[in-house]
Amino acid sequence: MPKEFGTHEIHGKALIVEDEITNRLILKKLLQKHGYEVIEAENGRQAVSLFEQHQPDIVFMDVMMPEMDGYEATIQIKQRAGNSFVPIIFLTAMQDEKALARCVEVGGDDFLSKPYSFTVLSAKVKAMERIRILQQDTRMLYSRMQRDQEIAEQVFSGAVVAENVALEHIHSLLQPASLFSGDLMLTAFAPSHDLYVLLGDFTGHGLASALGALPTSEAFRSMTAKGFGPHQILQAINNKLYTLLPTGMFMAVQFVKIDHQLDHIKLINCGMPDCYLIDKDGRRIKQKINSQSLPLGIAPDINLKDDFHFLKINEGDRIILATDGVTEARNPKGELFGQIRYIDAIKHSIDHDYILDNLSGELQEFCSDAPQDDDISVVEIPLIRQMFPALGSSKAPNKKVEHELPETILKEHPDCIEFQFTLYGAQLRQADPIPILINSIQETAGLHDHRRPLFTILTELYVNALDHGILKLDSSLKQGENGFTDYFQQREQRLNNLSQGCVRINLRIYSQDSGGHIIITIEDSGNGFDYSNHKKDSSNDQLYSGRGLLLVESLCKQLHFFKPGNKAEAIYAWEKTK
C-alpha cells in the first residue's frame, strides 16, 4: 500500500477479488495509476490463497462470487491478517442496507460503488493509507509501552518482592487485574527476630497504582532493619505517601507484627476488609479485626500507636489478611463474592492444609470467566516456629564467649567508646532509643553481624525498666484469654499519663584484636523489682513473665541486677572471625 513521505511514494500490492473480468480490468488500470502492483482473483477461495502467498496491502472484494462469496473470504482474510491492518473495500452496486451492514460485520472497512470513479477511488485509498499509518504508529507505541512495563515490572519485582522472607511458610494468592498490581505484600524480620508482614492496597490498579510500592518498600525495609516499631514504620510510610501521591490516591493497609516467641501478635487495619485470627484446629474465627484507622497517604502526621490490637495466640493459629478485591470479585452475572462466602470458605477449609487452598478454589469457581475488576490478594500466615530464624543466626553466629573478661573492662578505661542516653518524663512515651543506639553501635564499632543479639538485649532490658520500673506493670496481667490486650491497654494508658521518672542507658564498647565486649547498663528511677525470682518464673511455660530476661542471659557473658532491682548490667562479648 502506498505511503507518502513528502513527495515520495512507496508502492504496495493490491488484491482485486471480482468474478467479472471487465470490472477487474477497469479497477486494475485505476490502481496501477496509483502505482500499485495488482493481483487478481476470480472468487473468494482463490483470494484467500493469493492473500497467504503475496500478503497484499489492500483488498478490493466483490460480494457475490462462485465457490466462496465475499463475506466468507473477508472473514478468513481478516483472521490470517491477525494484528496487521489490511483494509478491505467492498465492491458493490447494492443498495440493500442489510447487505451493506453484513459487509461491515464480517470486517469490511469501506465501500466502492460501481461504476468506479478514479476520484472516489483515490480518496478512499488515501483514507485507508492514513488509517494504516495511525495503526502502525499505535502498534509501535503499544509495543514500546509493553517493553517499558516489562522493564518496570523487573525493577518492581527486584526492589519490592525479592527481599521478602518466610515465603516458604506464608501462603498467598496475589492475582493482579493487569500486568502491575496495586496490591503489595512485604515481609521482613526485625532485629528482635519478630516477623513484620504488610499487605497494602493502593487506589485503583495497574502501573499508576504500583508506583507507590517503591517508596513504601524502601521505608518498610530500612526502618524494620533498624529496629523501629510498627507504628513508627507506618507513620513514616504515611508521611512519604502523603508527600508523593496525588490527591485522591492512597494505600489501605493491614500490618501485623508476630512475636518470635509466638505469645502474641500486634495488628492494625487501616481501611481494609476485616482480617482474622483463626483457631489452629477447628478453623474457628477467634478474633475479627475491622478497620478503625485511615488509609495511609490521606492526612499528614497521623498517630497510629493507639490503633493497634494486641492478641494472644497459640502456636498453630493462622492469620488471614485480604484486600477488597476478594469480597468485591464478580461472577458472570455481576454478583459479588461477598463477605458471607468469604467467611464460609474459611470455615469449610478444615480438610485442607491451607485455608487459602479452599478459598482460592471457591473464588475461582464463583468468578468463572468473568473479567477481573480489581487486584485480588489474600495472605495466610501460619503461626509456627519454623517461620523464624534461630536466635543468634547471622553471618557470624552468636555464640556465648567462654573466656575470662580482661580486667581492663571491669574498671574505667580510656580506650573505649561510650554512649549515654537518658529519657525523662514525657519523652519516655514518645521516643524509642533502641534503634538510635543500635545504629550508633553499628556506625562507630562496625558490629553489623551482632545487630540482632544486641537489639534483643537492649530491647528486653529497656522494656523491663520502662514497664516494671517506671509504669509499675505486673507481668501476671498477661495471663488469661485477653491478657495481652489488657496488659498493653494498661501500658498505653499509663504511658499517656506519664510525666515523671527517667531511664538511663549507658554503653561502653571495648574492641581488641581477638574480639571485644560491650557493657550495657540500664537504670530506671523506679523502686526496683524482685529480680531473684525471674528465673523461677521463666521456667514455667504457662507464664509470660521472666522469659525475656532468660533470653538476655543466654546471649550475654554476664547479667547482673543491683539492689533494689532498678539497675541492670549486661556484658556482651564477641570473638572476631578469622
Side-chain angles (χ1 to χ4, degrees):
M1 183 176 190
K3 299 178 188 175
E4 294 181 359
F5 296 88
T7 58
H8 302 285
E9 278 193 347
I10 299 175
H11 303 283
K13 296 179 183 178
L15 172 61
I16 300 173
V17 189
E18 167 68 77
D19 60 339
E20 291 287 339
I21 187 171
T22 304
N23 290 335
R24 288 205 310 272
L25 289 173
I26 296 172
L27 187 56
K28 180 179 180 180
K29 291 295 183 183
L30 294 175
L31 288 170
Q32 285 176 336
K33 287 184 180 181
H34 265 283
Y36 277 100
E37 175 188 344
V38 177
I39 306 163
E40 300 176 58
E42 298 178 0
N43 57 63
R45 192 177 304 281
Q46 187 181 14
V48 173
S49 177
L50 290 173
F51 179 84
E52 289 183 328
Q53 293 177 41
H54 298 279
Q55 298 295 307
D57 300 291
I58 189 168
V59 177
F60 294 86
M61 181 74 69
D62 192 19
V63 177
M64 306 307 296
M65 293 178 295
E67 295 194 42
M68 180 186 291
D69 62 24
Y71 299 136
E72 181 60 28
T74 297
I75 293 173
Q76 293 196 25
I77 287 173
K78 286 290 186 179
Q79 288 175 346
R80 286 162 172 76
N83 293 326
S84 298
F85 177 66
V86 179
I88 296 181
I89 298 176
F90 273 97
L91 309 172
T92 178
M94 299 184 301
Q95 301 299 320
D96 184 353
E97 291 183 356
K98 289 185 178 180
L100 294 174
R102 175 63 176 157
C103 293
V104 176
E105 289 173 0
V106 298
D109 299 288
D110 205 344
F111 303 95
L112 184 63
S113 299
K114 302 175 183 178
Y116 307 127
S117 162
F118 180 75
T119 302
V120 174
L121 174 66
S122 298
K124 291 184 179 292
V125 167
K126 289 180 179 179
M128 291 299 113
E129 289 173 2
R130 289 195 296 269
I131 293 173
R132 180 166 183 168
I133 291 171
L134 286 173
Q135 194 265 355
Q136 288 179 336
D137 290 344
T138 301
R139 285 185 62 193
M140 181 182 67
L141 291 172
Y142 181 72
S143 176
R144 183 182 300 169
M145 181 188 72
Q146 279 191 312
R147 177 57 182 158
D148 290 345
Q149 286 194 343
E150 289 171 0
I151 294 172
E153 199 276 334
Q154 292 176 5
V155 174
F156 179 87
S157 297
V160 177
V161 179
E163 295 185 37
N164 281 340
V165 300
L167 296 183
E168 67 272 26
H169 301 292
I170 295 175
H171 206 39
S172 62
L173 170 65
L174 305 174
Q175 186 173 308
S178 58
L179 178 62
F180 279 93
S181 176
D183 296 350
L184 79 156
M185 181 186 76
L186 302 173
T187 66
F189 289 114
S192 61
H193 291 259
D194 297 336
L195 177 63
Y196 289 2
V197 180
L198 180 152
L199 181 64
D201 181 4
F202 283 93
T203 312
H205 60 270
L207 179 58
S209 298
L211 289 176
L214 292 174
T216 299
S217 171
E218 180 186 4
F220 173 84
R221 299 201 186 286
S222 63
M223 294 188 70
T224 298
K226 291 177 181 177
F228 286 97
H231 71 280
Q232 296 167 312
I233 295 172
L234 289 183
Q235 285 172 198
I237 293 173
N238 175 75
N239 293 338
K240 183 166 285 193
L241 294 182
Y242 179 79
T243 303
L244 294 176
L245 297 183
T247 302
M249 189 173 178
F250 52 83
M251 181 181 74
V253 68
Q254 294 170 341
F255 191 113
V256 58
K257 169 194 170 185
I258 304 169
D259 177 70
H260 67 276
Q261 295 184 359
L262 293 180
D263 290 337
H264 68 281
I265 60 172
K266 184 177 180 180
L267 191 149
I268 192 170
N269 187 343
C270 305
M272 292 271 267
D274 296 342
C275 43
Y276 300 98
L277 176 62
I278 309 297
D279 178 71
K280 61 179 179 178
D281 297 320
R283 298 294 197 258
R284 177 178 61 88
I285 296 176
K286 296 173 66 173
Q287 295 282 349
K288 178 181 75 172
I289 300 89
N290 55 19
S291 173
Q292 297 178 343
S293 308
L294 282 176
L296 307 187
I298 294 178
D301 301 322
I302 60 175
N303 186 358
L304 300 171
K305 189 174 183 180
D306 296 335
D307 295 341
F308 276 87
H309 298 261
F310 295 87
L311 305 177
K312 180 182 176 183
I313 58 174
N314 295 317
E315 186 171 355
D317 288 347
R318 294 163 188 263
I319 302 169
I320 300 293
L321 311 176
T323 62
D324 58 8
V326 178
T327 54
E328 295 177 6
R330 296 181 181 273
N331 65 8
K333 296 179 181 179
E335 301 169 332
L336 296 178
F337 188 69
Q339 193 73 13
I340 295 177
R341 289 187 181 90
Y342 177 38
I343 294 174
D344 285 345
I346 293 174
K347 292 179 178 178
H348 297 158
S349 63
I350 191 72
D351 296 328
H352 296 78
D353 292 335
Y354 281 91
I355 293 171
L356 196 50
D357 292 338
N358 185 61
L359 174 59
S360 59
E362 292 196 15
L363 189 63
Q364 184 176 5
E365 182 179 356
F366 175 82
C367 295
S368 185
D369 57 353
Q372 185 176 331
D373 299 326
D374 196 5
D375 304 313
I376 294 174
S377 297
V378 189
V379 178
E380 178 179 357
I381 311 169
L383 303 176
I384 54 177
R385 297 197 181 276
Q386 296 91 315
M387 194 161 52
F388 298 92
L391 282 174
S393 63
S394 64
K395 293 179 182 177
N398 177 56
K399 61 181 180 178
K400 202 166 182 180
V401 179
E402 297 300 333
H403 62 256
E404 291 300 318
L405 301 180
E407 184 179 349
T408 53
I409 78 162
L410 301 176
K411 60 184 180 181
E412 293 297 326
H413 191 280
D415 190 16
C416 73
I417 301 171
E418 184 169 6
F419 299 103
Q420 184 162 299
F421 202 99
T422 305
L423 295 175
Y424 295 93
Q427 293 300 318
L428 288 166
R429 68 171 180 257
Q430 298 171 359
D432 183 359
I434 307 305
I436 299 171
L437 290 171
I438 289 294
N439 288 333
S440 299
I441 292 171
Q442 290 187 162
E443 293 301 321
T444 57
L447 299 177
H448 299 279
D449 291 338
H450 299 272
R451 177 172 55 90
R452 288 187 183 276
L454 287 171
F455 184 92
T456 301
I457 295 166
L458 284 166
T459 299
E460 293 294 342
L461 293 179
Y462 175 72
V463 169
N464 185 73
L466 178 60
D467 286 12
H468 307 309
I470 304 299
L471 302 179
K472 298 179 173 58
L473 287 165
D474 189 339
S475 291
S476 63
L477 288 171
K478 298 177 183 177
Q479 304 305 124
E481 184 66 27
N482 298 316
F484 276 99
T485 300
D486 295 340
Y487 181 88
F488 285 108
Q489 283 180 348
Q490 287 200 35
R491 187 181 195 271
E492 291 304 314
Q493 290 173 1
R494 297 187 189 190
L495 269 178
N496 290 334
N497 296 325
L498 185 64
S499 60
Q500 296 181 347
C502 74
V503 175
R504 181 174 292 108
I505 304 171
N506 184 273
L507 304 178
R508 280 181 291 155
I509 306 172
Y510 298 85
S511 292
Q512 302 156 341
D513 293 339
S514 59
H517 306 82
I518 300 180
I519 299 179
I520 301 169
T521 305
I522 296 184
E523 183 176 4
D524 65 75
S525 60
N527 297 324
F529 78 107
D530 186 7
Y531 56 87
S532 61
N533 288 327
H534 81 269
K535 285 189 178 181
K536 180 177 69 175
D537 291 342
S538 62
S539 63
N540 187 343
D541 290 337
Q542 302 304 313
L543 295 179
Y544 293 105
S545 58
R547 288 189 287 178
L549 295 180
L550 189 65
L551 176 60
V552 172
E553 279 194 327
S554 71
L555 295 173
C556 291
K557 175 68 177 177
Q558 291 180 10
L559 175 63
H560 179 67
F561 284 92
F562 298 86
K563 291 182 180 181
N566 66 337
K567 179 179 179 181
E569 181 181 86
I571 301 178
Y572 177 81
W574 73 91
E575 294 176 342
K576 289 186 178 178
T577 56
K578 296 180 180 180

